[in-house]
Amino acid sequence: MSLDTLPRAARNNHRRARPPGHRWRSRFDVKAMPYALVSPYFLLFAAFGLFPLAFTLYYSLYDYDLAGTVEWTGLGNYTALLGDEDFWNAVVNTVGMFILATVPQMILALLLANALNKRLKLRLAIRMSVLLPLVTSVVAVAVVFTQLYARDWGLVNWVLSGLGVDKTNWRAERIPSWIAIATMVDWRWTGYNAIIFLAGMQTIPRDLYEAAAIDGASRRRQFWQITLPMLRPTMIFVVLNSTIGGLTLFSEPTTFYNGNVDGGSQGQFQTVAMFIVKQGFREFDYGYAAAAAWLLFLLILIGAAINFLFVRRIGGTR
């Protein structure tokens, strides 16, 4: 029997019979409990996200080194960085490798996801297999690609020599080293992005494709007129995620040079992340490294904004 079916006197007695703290606990469950349940994330974010940001911003304004010297410099570290040729060399390398890796990666991931969205035999096994490069150790990937791009006996140079092209020293030259590292990045992350695109494609209603087929639209036109516009939110996520990963590139170029953060004999493939590690943990100039980290943060914001605006135009959104 529900409470509403009882006489008024019985209902009043029932309410008076409740424990004194019942109303307070009920209010806590409705209003405060949701915040209590999500609070661990915000506490962890504050400890491992906001605090490091504030800490690096604070020390970027100081001349702070391992010897314990802490001297206020204001914007001196930022001014020195803007005039540092090594820093700008790292910025150019980072942006160059980011473009060489990200553009083909997005195209290949889209094509792969579109292929995986078809009716295939062993469809689940094939979809899972594209994630195998992601779970492979970065060190193992670096060892394999280092052998492939070896100057004298690498497979890539062997194929090129068979085509009449001179052997290339992939570590000694800037553009070839960018290409070699970009292929490492694409090999690892194309499958991951393809699975995300595939998940987005599966949310598109099949009725749209059936209606387009009835109207005589080809598969290519369906892809351009239906799939890409409907996939725009997923593309924004993937592009922004790739922008963050590409501009903070560290593992692939470091392992490509045997764990050295110099990025080659002349810094031809040193990224900003490698530059920060070098300044902070080899030169022990923590204030300078912190300032470089904040400039990298601004670079990521600029890159993410540009890519966001570019992707928004795909579906006709202005």
Side-chain angles (χ1 to χ4, degrees), residues 167-228:
K167 291 183 178 181
T168 302
N169 191 343
W170 296 92
R171 290 189 186 183
E173 301 178 36
R174 168 170 283 188
I175 301 300
S177 64
W178 289 4
I179 295 174
I181 294 170
T183 55
M184 294 172 59
V185 175
D186 288 345
W187 188 83
R188 288 196 69 215
W189 294 102
T190 299
Y192 170 80
N193 289 326
I195 292 298
I196 297 178
F197 281 137
L198 176 62
M201 289 179 181
Q202 292 183 337
T203 63
I204 301 175
R206 291 293 174 184
D207 297 344
L208 297 178
Y209 294 103
E210 294 174 359
I214 293 174
D215 291 339
S218 63
R219 289 187 177 273
R220 179 178 299 179
R221 187 172 182 184
Q222 291 176 27
F223 179 79
W224 285 102
Q225 299 295 328
I226 298 176
T227 304
L228 284 184

Side-chain angles (χ1 to χ4, degrees), residues 7-289:
R8 178 177 296 179
R11 288 201 301 269
N12 292 337
N13 292 334
H14 179 79
R15 291 192 181 98
R16 282 195 291 268
R18 292 176 180 177
H22 177 79
R23 182 176 298 178
W24 180 86
R25 285 197 303 270
S26 178
R27 236 176 237 183
F28 177 81
D29 290 342
V30 173
K31 295 184 177 180
M33 184 56 71
Y35 296 100
L37 293 175
V38 300
S39 61
Y41 165 78
F42 291 102
L43 292 175
L44 290 173
F45 177 73
F48 299 102
L50 293 179
F51 174 74
L53 283 174
F55 186 81
T56 53
L57 178 61
Y58 174 78
Y59 276 110
S60 69
L61 305 176
Y62 286 85
D63 182 11
Y64 177 45
D65 56 31
L66 183 64
T69 302
V70 180
E71 181 180 348
W72 169 263
T73 60
L75 298 178
N77 286 326
Y78 294 94
T79 304
L81 274 172
L82 294 178
D84 191 341
E85 293 182 0
D86 292 337
F87 173 75
W88 286 110
N89 173 69
V91 171
V92 172
N93 292 337
T94 302
V95 174
M97 285 186 280
F98 164 70
I99 295 174
L100 284 177
T102 304
V103 175
Q105 184 184 141
M106 294 297 102
I107 296 174
L108 291 174
L110 269 173
L111 296 177
L112 181 59
N114 190 53
L116 293 175
N117 200 31
K118 310 297 183 185
R119 299 192 177 204
L120 304 169
K121 293 182 178 180
L122 301 175
R123 182 167 52 182
L124 180 60
I126 295 173
R127 290 175 178 177
M128 292 178 63
S129 65
V130 301
L131 291 175
L132 289 177
L134 183 63
V135 300
T136 306
S137 170
V138 180
V139 177
V141 174
V143 170
V144 172
F145 276 85
T146 300
Q147 303 298 321
L148 291 175
Y149 286 103
R151 183 187 61 182
D152 298 322
W153 32 264
L155 178 61
V156 176
N157 273 342
W158 179 77
V159 173
L160 292 177
S161 62
L163 298 175
V165 180
D166 294 336
K167 291 183 178 181
T168 302
N169 191 343
W170 296 92
R171 290 189 186 183
E173 301 178 36
R174 168 170 283 188
I175 301 300
S177 64
W178 289 4
I179 295 174
I181 294 170
T183 55
M184 294 172 59
V185 175
D186 288 345
W187 188 83
R188 288 196 69 215
W189 294 102
T190 299
Y192 170 80
N193 289 326
I195 292 298
I196 297 178
F197 281 137
L198 176 62
M201 289 179 181
Q202 292 183 337
T203 63
I204 301 175
R206 291 293 174 184
D207 297 344
L208 297 178
Y209 294 103
E210 294 174 359
I214 293 174
D215 291 339
S218 63
R219 289 187 177 273
R220 179 178 299 179
R221 187 172 182 184
Q222 291 176 27
F223 179 79
W224 285 102
Q225 299 295 328
I226 298 176
T227 304
L228 284 184
M230 297 292 291
L231 204 61
R232 188 170 60 247
T234 306
M235 293 180 65
I236 291 175
F237 169 77
V238 172
V239 168
L240 294 182
N241 196 35
S242 299
T243 300
I244 296 172
L247 294 180
T248 58
L249 192 63
F250 179 80
S251 300
E252 285 82 358
T254 302
T255 52
F256 188 66
Y257 197 51
N258 301 324
N260 197 313
V261 294
D262 288 332
S265 57
Q266 298 178 346
Q268 58 267 23
F269 55 90
Q270 184 188 53
T271 63
V272 178
M274 297 166 70
F275 177 85
I276 293 171
V277 172
K278 179 181 178 181
Q279 295 298 321
F281 298 99
R282 219 169 76 179
E283 305 295 336
F284 302 112
D285 194 348
Y286 296 132
Y288 202 63

